[in-house]
Amino acid sequence: PSRLPWVQVRLPSLPEISVGWRAISGTMTVLLAMLLFFLWTSPICQVVSVEVNGLKRIPVEDFNHTLGFIGKPIFTVDIEHTLSNLQTNFPELAEISMQVSLPAKVRIQVKERQPVLVWMEENITKWVAADGVAFPPLGDNHPLTVVKASGSPPLIAQPDNATAEQFLSPDTVKALLSLQAMLPAGTQLIYDE
């Protein structure tokens, strides 16, 4: 028998892949960056509108303009700053609460102060609530008691926990309302320093 020469056959081999912790960490970092970019720019996470309950006199458009986060990512909404900003810009709000939820929902619940008297001083007219907080007149809810003043009322000490600056003390408001009740209907009160 004839002998065949020895033939050696080599099959192609696959390279040995060794995945180290750096490769896994790098891949996870890239994936997280892509996810954050998607969430930051996705229309799903953009604040489109704000649900506001409890407004009676303040237009929702004014409210949304003051908020300033329409069209921005929900992640940029700062609740404490927003509540402080709303209280500063809308002293007629007695209570404000806010809820933020995903994907991009903002709910605000407010309670407006009810005006009980009108304070007219030179060319400035203010409404004043029972707690003494003054705010600009807005809407058709005209209080019955009108005070024409030749000057500003005396300054009062502000409590540390006050949410809005008081214009009159609550006792002064109560006294003015009691005085008005004793006078004929339509009589205006006069305040002089």
Side-chain angles (χ1 to χ4, degrees):
S2 80
R3 290 183 122 186
L4 293 172
W6 179 261
V7 177
Q8 187 177 12
V9 177
R10 275 193 138 170
L11 296 174
S13 64
L14 297 174
E16 183 178 320
I17 299 174
S18 110
V19 178
W21 64 270
R22 287 185 177 156
I24 294 171
S25 175
T27 303
M28 288 178 66
T29 302
V30 169
L31 290 175
L32 283 174
M34 289 172 50
L35 178 64
L36 285 175
F37 178 77
F38 170 75
L39 290 175
W40 200 265
T41 59
S42 172
I44 295 170
C45 297
Q46 304 294 317
V47 178
V48 176
S49 66
V50 177
E51 180 185 325
V52 183
N53 297 315
L55 287 181
K56 295 177 183 157
R57 292 183 302 270
I58 303 169
V60 176
E61 298 80 30
D62 291 354
F63 214 74
N64 283 338
H65 178 17
T66 301
L67 292 173
F69 48 71
I70 303 295
K72 294 183 179 175
I74 190 72
F75 312 110
T76 62
V77 175
D78 181 354
I79 294 175
E80 278 187 37
H81 175 19
T82 301
L83 292 175
S84 174
N85 190 22
L86 289 173
Q87 193 65 60
T88 301
N89 287 301
F90 299 102
E92 57 264 57
L93 297 177
E95 297 174 16
I96 309 169
S97 62
M98 182 173 168
Q99 292 178 330
V100 177
S101 60
L102 293 176
K105 293 184 181 186
V106 178
R107 288 186 187 95
I108 299 176
Q109 181 69 39
V110 299
K111 181 180 178 189
E112 292 183 1
R113 287 185 166 87
Q114 296 303 311
V116 294
L117 62 91
V118 176
W119 186 274
M120 300 171 81
E121 182 181 331
E122 295 179 13
N123 294 332
I124 300 170
T125 301
K126 299 177 182 181
W127 282 354
V128 181
D131 61 359
V133 174
F135 48 93
L138 187 61
D140 296 328
N141 190 6
H142 295 288
L144 301 174
T145 303
V146 177
V147 179
K148 284 200 171 190
S150 62
S152 296
L155 294 174
I156 59 172
Q158 300 295 319
D160 292 336
N161 62 349
T163 57
E165 187 174 335
Q166 284 188 313
F167 180 71
L168 297 171
S169 71
D171 291 337
T172 303
V173 173
K174 189 184 244 183
L176 289 169
L177 294 174
S178 296
L179 184 59
Q180 179 67 41
M182 291 184 253
L183 299 173
T187 304
Q188 293 182 347
L189 299 173
I190 306 288
Y191 172 81
D192 190 337
E193 296 176 83

